[in-house]
Amino acid sequence: MILIGELSLWVALLMAAWSMTVSYAGGASRRLDLVDSGVRGLYATFAMVLLASIGLWTALLSRDFSLEYVAGHISASMPSAYVFTAFWSGQAGSMLFWALILSMYGTIAIATSRARNQELVPWATGTLSAILLFFIATTVFKANPFIRLPFTPLDGRGMNPQLQNPGMAFHPPNLYLGYVATAIPFAFAIAALFAKRLDAEWLGVVRRWALLSWFFLTIGIVLGMWWAYVELGWGGYWAWDPVENSSFLPWLTTTAFLHSIMIQEKRGMLRKWNVVLVVVSFLLAIFGTFITRSGVIESVHSFAQSPVGPWFATFFVLSTGISIYLVGIRLRDLEAKAELESMVSREAAFLYNNLVLCGIAFAVLWGTVFPLLSEWAGKSKITVGPPFFNAVNIPLGLLLLALTGIGPLIAWRKASVSNLRRQFAMPAWTGVAVGVALFAAGMRNVSALIAYVLCGFVAGTIIQEFYKGIRARQAIHGESVITGFVHLVARNRRRYGGYIVHAGIVMLFAAFAGLAFRSEHDISLKAGESFTTNDPYGHSWRFVSQGVSFYNRVDRDVVAVGLEAFRDGKRLGIITSEKRQYVDAQRNPLFNPITEVGIRTTSKLDTYIVLAGIRDREVAELRVTFNPLVVWVWAGGVLMVIGGVIVMWPQAERRRQQGGYAAVMPPAQPADELPVPV
Amino acid sequence: MTVTVTSRREFLSRAGGVFAAIALGAEAATAQGTPASSESMPGMNGQVRPVRLPAKPDAKPVVTPEERDALEHRLHCQCGTCTLDVYTCRTTDFTCAVSPAMHRDVLALVEGGHSAQEIIDAFAATYGERVLMAPKRSNILAWFTPGVAVLVGGGAIAMLLRRWKAEKQSHALAGPLHDVDATSDELARLDAAVRGDDRP
C-alpha cells in the first residue's frame, strides 16, 4: 500500500499536468472533448492523491519507521489518534494534505457546477489543476513523505508534546480546509476573467465556497487561540505572531467578500471589487502557507521551517503576477451599471464595512512584513509586535464593531430620516445604558468603555432584528416566541444566521475589551508561603503554596506546584501548574520542557497560573495572571461557528428570498425586515 | 532519575563569569545584531549585551514595580527564537536565559534612578530598534501607512459613491428607467412603503 501510495503521487503529478494543459487548451479552442478530458483528469488526480494519502496513513498507522517522515513524526508509544493526525504535522505531510483537500474540493466544485457553468468549467478546471500541479510537484520534489531512510530505526522521534493536544489535532486541518477553500472561488474568478462572464451561477459557486472557507478559517483560528492559551503558557490567546496573522488575513478579506457579495446579489454592483477580493483572499492564503512553511519571518512556529520556501515564493509571485495581469486586461469587461440612491443606505454601509475589514487586513499585513521590508531597505532590523498591532487595530476594530450594529439598521437603497430614527432608538439606548452602568460601576478605561457601549449597541441591533422578525411571525402565523424564533431563522438562514455570527462577534469584542483589565503578578513561593492580591473585580485572592513535587511518568519527568486558592476568604480548591520534560525510553530528554498551565475558569475571570521555574529545589517561581472574560472568546467562537452552519445549511431553491424590492410589502413593516411567507 | 530543574536566575549567577565574557564579546559585535559568539552558553545564543548607565546621584528608584513590568512588556526578548516580550518570556519559559539577563539589567537601571523612557532608550541604544516590541513613534512609515491607506480607501469610496449617485440622478432626470408597469405616483408610494415612511 505504501509503495502504491508513492507511485500514485507520481501519477497524480502527471494527471494534474495533463488536466491543466487540456483544460486550458479546451477552453481556448472551445473543444468539448478536451474539456471533458481535463475534467476527468482532475477527478483522476483526486483519486491518485487519495491513494497516496491512504499510503501515508498506512505507513503511519503500521508504524513503518523505514520512512523518514514516519520516523521523524511519530513514535511507537504514541496514541493512535495522534499518529493519524501526524499526517499533517510535518512539512511533507501537510503539502500532501493540501493537495488532497484541493483535489477533493476541486472535484466536488467542478462536478456540482459543471452543468450550469459550461463556459467557466474549462478555465476553472485548468486553474485548479495548475494549483494542484504546484502542490503535488512540491510534495514530490521538495517534501516527499515517502522518502526512505538508509536504515530502519527501532523507534521514531515522536511528536512535539505541545502538539499532542486535541486543539492541535483539529486546528491545522481546519485552517488547511479554510485556506484551500479559497482556491475554488479563485479558480472561478480566474475563469470568469478568461471567459469574460460573471453571472448568477458564478456568484452561487463563489459564495458557497467562500463561505466554506470562512467557516473553516474561523474554526481553525479559534482553536489555535485556545491551544495557544492552554498550552503555551504565556497567558494570552493572540500574540500577533506572523503565522497567526497570516491565517487572519484571508479570514478578513473573505469576511469582506461575504458582505460585499450581497451588494452584487441584490444590486448587481461591485462585480470587479468582488473578483479582486476573491483573488486577494487566495493569494493571502498562499502567502500564509508560505510564511508558515518558509520561516521567512521570525516566528514561534519555527517547527515548520523548511526548504520549500523558494518554491512557495516563486508560486506566490507567479500567481500574483498572472492575477494582476488578468485583472488588468479583463476587468473592464466585467463593468456593470452602478447607481446609488443615497449615501445613507445599506450599500454604502457595506462599502465602509469593506473598507474597515480591508484596512485591518492591510494594517496586519503591513505590520507582518514591515520587519522584512525594513531589513531589505538596508535599515536596522526592527520588531513589530503586539503594541503596534493593538494601537493600529483597536480604532479600526471599534469602527468595525460600530458598523456591525449600524449596517443592519439601514435600509437598502435609501434610508429615510424617520426610518433611521425608529431603527436606531432601541440599540442606541442599549449602548448608552451599558456605558452608564459600567461607568457607575467604576470602569474608567476609555477604550474599554467605548467597546462596551458599542457591544451594547450591536447587541441591541441584533435583539431588535430578532424581536421584529418574531413579532411579525406572531402576527402573521400566530406562532409562539420559540416556534417563531426557530421558523424565523429556518426561513431566512442567511440573514438570521448572519446575525448569530454578529452576536458571536459581540462576545469576542466584549472579551477583548476585558484584556484592558488583565493583571499579572510575578511571585516566588516556598511551601506554606502565601501571596495575596486583588483581582480586577476587586475580590481579594490568597494563594498558598502546597510545595514543589518532583515525579516521573513513563514518558516524562514532571515538576509540579499546587496553589490553594482562596477568594474573599473562601477556599476554591487547588490550582496546579507543571513543567514537563518529555523523555525517550532511555530517559533522554525529547524536545524542550513544556508548561502545563493551571487555569481556573469562571464566566467573569480566568485565574491563570504558570510555573516558570524552581529555585533551590523548593522555591517555585510563578506567574499569576487574572484574565477577565476569556471564556467569552470561546463562547463567541462557538456562536460564530453555529451561525456559520446556519448560513451554510442548504436551503431549498423555492425558499430562496428575492432581495430588495421583490420582497412582500404589507404596510406595517419595511419590506426589508419581513420574513417571506412560504 | 530526577528532573534537573535549575532556576534561570541561579543558573545565571553561577555562570556570571561566562556571562560577562559573552557580554563583552557581544559588545564588540556590529550594531546590526549579528550573533556575537558561537561559544555562548546554552540558551544565550550570544545575544545578551550589557545595558548599563551610571547611577544617578542619590539614586532612588522612580519606577514602580508595575511600571517596570509595563516597560518590560515593551522590550523584545533577544533569544532569537521566541517572539515574546521580556516580562512574558521570563515568567513563562524557564529554558530561556536571555530574558532574565535583560531583566537584571532593567532592575539595575531602575535601582540607578533612571526613568522608564531612559531605560527603554538605553536598551535601544545598545541593541538597536529591534529590542523594542514596536517601532519607535518616529518611524512614520511604519505607523502611518495603515492610516493613510484607510484614508485613501475612504476617499476612493466617497468618490465612488458620489459618482454612483450622480449616475442615478442623471438617469432620474432622463425619466423612468425601468420598464415597470406603474405610474410615477405608484412608484413613489412603493418607495415610501419600502422605506417605511407611511408608518404612523
Side-chain angles (χ1 to χ4, degrees):
Chain A
M1 193 60 227
I2 301 167
L3 189 66
I4 294 176
E6 189 178 357
L7 294 175
S8 308
L9 203 55
W10 286 93
V11 181
L13 183 75
L14 298 177
M15 277 295 156
W18 169 260
S19 172
M20 177 184 79
T21 314
V22 297
S23 293
Y24 281 142
S29 62
R30 294 178 170 274
R31 274 183 53 188
L32 272 180
D33 53 338
L34 289 183
V35 174
D36 283 343
S37 175
V39 170
R40 281 196 295 271
L42 180 67
Y43 297 168
T45 311
F46 170 49
M48 290 298 128
V49 174
L50 184 64
L51 271 180
S53 305
I54 292 172
L56 183 57
W57 263 311
T58 309
L60 284 166
L61 291 169
S62 64
R63 289 170 166 83
D64 182 347
F65 294 122
S66 66
L67 292 193
E68 191 184 334
Y69 190 79
V70 177
H73 292 91
I74 63 165
S75 61
S77 63
M78 255 171 67
S80 288
Y82 291 117
V83 171
F84 185 80
T85 64
F87 185 96
W88 51 73
S89 72
Q91 177 89 280
S94 60
M95 288 292 124
L96 181 59
F97 194 57
W98 245 94
L100 176 65
I101 303 170
L102 182 58
S103 56
M104 178 187 75
Y105 278 169
T107 300
I108 297 173
I110 297 297
T112 52
S113 64
R114 199 174 168 192
R116 287 180 285 186
N117 275 313
Q118 296 221 337
E119 294 211 35
L120 298 181
V121 159
W123 303 109
T125 310
T127 308
L128 285 170
S129 300
I131 305 168
L132 261 175
L133 181 64
F134 164 73
F135 276 98
I136 298 171
T138 310
T139 312
V140 169
F141 297 114
K142 278 284 155 183
N144 196 328
F146 294 103
I147 287 179
R148 286 183 188 277
L149 289 169
F151 59 96
T152 304
L154 286 175
D155 196 358
R157 186 161 184 268
M159 188 188 278
N160 186 332
Q162 284 187 320
L163 300 181
Q164 296 190 35
N165 166 298
M168 243 325 144
F170 295 104
H171 157 75
N174 274 292
L175 269 191
Y176 288 135
L177 285 166
Y179 273 149
V180 181
T182 60
I184 308 291
F186 172 79
F188 276 86
I190 293 295
L193 291 170
F194 270 122
K196 302 186 203 178
R197 282 190 56 130
L198 266 190
D199 48 21
E201 288 299 337
W202 180 86
L203 208 66
V205 175
V206 169
R207 193 188 144 271
R208 263 195 303 281
W209 286 92
L211 197 57
L212 192 76
S213 166
W214 178 91
F215 176 76
F216 284 122
L217 282 175
T218 306
I219 299 179
I221 291 171
V222 175
L223 280 176
M225 288 159 84
W226 181 74
W227 173 78
Y229 184 70
V230 301
E231 199 68 43
L232 293 184
W234 49 266
Y237 40 79
W238 192 263
W240 297 108
D241 175 84
V243 175
E244 290 170 352
N245 292 349
S246 53
S247 65
F248 190 36
L249 290 170
W251 185 90
L252 285 165
T253 50
T254 308
T255 307
F257 172 77
L258 290 174
H259 287 90
S260 69
I261 199 166
M262 282 186 253
I263 306 185
Q264 187 175 340
E265 282 176 302
K266 298 223 180 206
R267 304 290 311 274
M269 286 152 46
L270 284 187
R271 294 169 177 215
K272 294 191 283 187
W273 173 242
N274 285 330
V275 169
V276 170
L277 275 182
V278 161
V279 170
V280 166
S281 297
F282 173 73
L283 293 176
L284 287 174
I286 293 294
F287 177 75
T289 315
F290 170 54
I291 296 268
T292 323
R293 290 291 151 203
S294 71
V296 62
I297 296 176
E298 176 190 84
S299 162
V300 288
H301 294 64
S302 48
F303 36 73
Q305 292 187 7
S306 85
V308 300
W311 281 56
F312 261 94
T314 311
F315 181 66
F316 179 71
V317 170
L318 212 63
S319 16
T320 310
I322 293 172
S323 304
I324 292 176
Y325 174 71
L326 273 176
V327 167
I329 58 162
R330 287 291 164 82
L331 212 50
R332 282 196 180 285
D333 300 327
L334 305 178
E335 193 92 56
K337 194 178 70 212
E339 25 182 72
L340 186 78
E341 284 173 52
S342 166
M343 298 294 225
V344 187
S345 58
R346 183 80 60 91
E347 292 91 323
F350 273 140
L351 281 183
Y352 284 104
N353 145 300
N354 264 238
L355 171 69
V356 177
L357 283 166
C358 293
I360 296 174
F362 179 77
V364 173
L365 181 65
W366 181 250
T368 307
V369 301
F370 194 78
L372 269 188
L373 297 179
S374 178
E375 230 179 320
W376 278 339
K379 300 250 174 66
S380 61
K381 200 176 169 192
I382 61 163
T383 308
V384 180
F388 173 87
F389 290 103
N390 291 338
V392 172
N393 285 318
I394 285 175
L396 288 172
L398 291 177
L399 206 57
L400 185 67
L401 183 60
L403 285 170
T404 312
I406 293 170
L409 298 178
I410 303 182
W412 285 97
R413 291 182 178 254
K414 189 173 183 180
S416 70
V417 176
S418 68
N419 160 285
L420 289 178
R421 198 176 295 148
R422 202 174 51 241
Q423 287 276 68
F424 274 80
M426 200 284 267
W429 282 116
T430 312
V432 171
V434 169
V436 169
L438 290 174
F439 190 81
M443 190 184 283
R444 294 293 180 272
N445 184 306
V446 177
S447 303
L449 274 173
I450 295 175
Y452 286 118
V453 167
L454 290 173
C455 283
F457 169 67
V458 182
T461 300
I462 298 166
I463 292 167
Q464 174 173 284
E465 290 291 303
F466 275 102
Y467 175 77
K468 285 188 171 177
I470 293 170
R471 273 280 300 275
R473 289 202 71 85
Q474 283 180 319
I476 298 169
H477 304 287
E479 292 170 347
S480 73
V481 174
I482 291 170
T483 327
F485 175 83
V486 172
H487 284 171
L488 184 72
V489 175
R491 296 289 145 79
N492 200 342
R493 295 191 181 124
R494 283 178 58 183
R495 180 168 170 184
Y496 291 96
Y499 289 149
I500 290 174
V501 173
H502 282 188
I505 292 281
V506 172
M507 282 187 190
L508 283 179
F509 270 90
F512 296 159
L515 288 178
F517 307 100
R518 179 172 193 262
S519 64
E520 306 175 287
H521 307 276
D522 182 12
I523 55 174
S524 304
L525 294 179
K526 275 190 199 171
E529 287 182 341
S530 71
F531 168 72
T532 307
T533 187
N534 284 346
D535 74 11
Y537 296 97
H539 295 290
S540 166
W541 286 72
R542 192 160 65 91
F543 299 97
V544 184
S545 172
Q546 306 298 296
V548 180
S549 50
F550 299 82
Y551 57 91
N552 301 334
R553 287 271 178 276
V554 176
D555 59 343
R556 60 184 185 267
D557 299 335
V558 183
V559 194
V561 66
L563 295 185
E564 192 172 20
F566 297 87
R567 189 183 58 202
D568 297 331
K570 189 176 155 235
R571 185 181 182 277
L572 298 173
I574 291 177
I575 307 174
T576 306
S577 174
E578 295 177 1
K579 279 284 174 202
R580 293 180 179 173
Q581 174 64 65
Y582 281 80
V583 293
D584 64 13
Q586 285 76 45
R587 299 210 84 75
N588 297 314
L590 287 169
F591 308 101
N592 286 328
I594 62 164
T595 305
E596 280 294 308
V597 186
I599 306 177
R600 183 181 182 278
T601 300
T602 66
S603 61
K604 284 165 77 177
L605 186 74
D606 271 20
T607 311
Y608 189 97
I609 293 176
V610 176
L611 174 61
I614 302 291
R615 196 174 63 220
D616 305 331
R617 292 190 59 80
E618 58 171 347
V619 183
E621 306 248 10
L622 298 149
R623 173 162 42 96
V624 175
T625 308
F626 291 115
N627 273 331
L629 302 177
V630 172
V631 72
W632 297 100
V633 175
W634 323 132
V638 169
L639 204 56
M640 284 170 77
V641 170
I642 293 173
V645 171
I646 293 172
V647 173
M648 286 197 300
W649 205 268
Q651 201 151 1
E653 282 297 323
R654 64 190 172 85
R655 285 187 185 164
R656 211 163 266 170
Q657 186 186 5
Q658 299 294 309
Y661 280 95
V664 189
M665 197 189 58
Q669 295 254 337
D672 191 36
E673 291 167 6
L674 269 181
V676 178
V678 180
Chain B
M1 184 184 150
T2 54
V3 191
T4 49
V5 178
T6 316
S7 148
R8 292 159 295 164
R9 292 159 186 78
E10 184 195 11
F11 182 52
L12 273 178
S13 54
R14 255 196 254 140
V18 186
F19 167 63
I22 292 162
L24 285 173
E27 202 164 36
T30 68
Q32 295 301 313
T34 44
S37 162
S38 55
E39 294 166 0
S40 58
M41 41 199 264
M44 284 287 225
N45 293 335
Q47 298 286 351
V48 178
R49 306 178 194 183
V51 180
R52 308 262 187 271
L53 288 176
K56 290 188 172 174
D58 330 315
K60 260 187 281 174
V62 293
V63 176
T64 65
E66 288 75 33
E67 287 168 342
R68 185 199 66 214
D69 292 348
L71 98 81
E72 282 188 352
H73 275 301
R74 292 168 60 191
L75 295 174
H76 190 232
C77 172
Q78 295 295 304
C79 69
T81 52
C82 79
T83 54
L84 300 173
D85 60 71
V86 168
Y87 179 90
T88 308
C89 182
R90 74 179 172 83
T91 55
T92 304
D93 174 10
F94 74 163
T95 56
C96 177
V98 174
S99 53
M102 294 174 76
H103 171 62
R104 293 194 328 157
D105 281 352
V106 172
L107 287 182
L109 290 169
V110 169
E111 285 302 315
H114 299 282
S115 71
Q117 194 55 50
E118 286 166 347
I119 296 172
I120 299 255
D121 291 343
F123 269 89
T126 304
Y127 289 98
E129 210 179 326
R130 73 199 158 100
V131 81
L132 308 177
M133 285 301 283
K136 287 183 184 163
R137 291 277 161 178
S138 58
N139 194 333
I140 294 172
L141 193 64
W143 282 96
F144 288 96
T145 308
V148 169
V150 171
L151 286 182
V152 169
I157 288 181
M159 271 170 52
L160 187 72
L161 289 174
R162 199 158 297 188
R163 211 179 66 201
W164 285 356
K165 215 179 158 196
E167 221 148 284
K168 171 71 187 174
Q169 271 158 1
S170 68
H171 278 134
L173 287 178
L177 169 74
H178 315 285
D179 44 350
V180 179
D181 185 19
T183 66
S184 57
D185 182 47
E186 281 168 342
L187 283 174
R189 277 200 290 131
L190 176 72
D191 227 32
V194 167
R195 293 203 307 259
D197 283 356
D198 54 347
R199 285 217 273 180

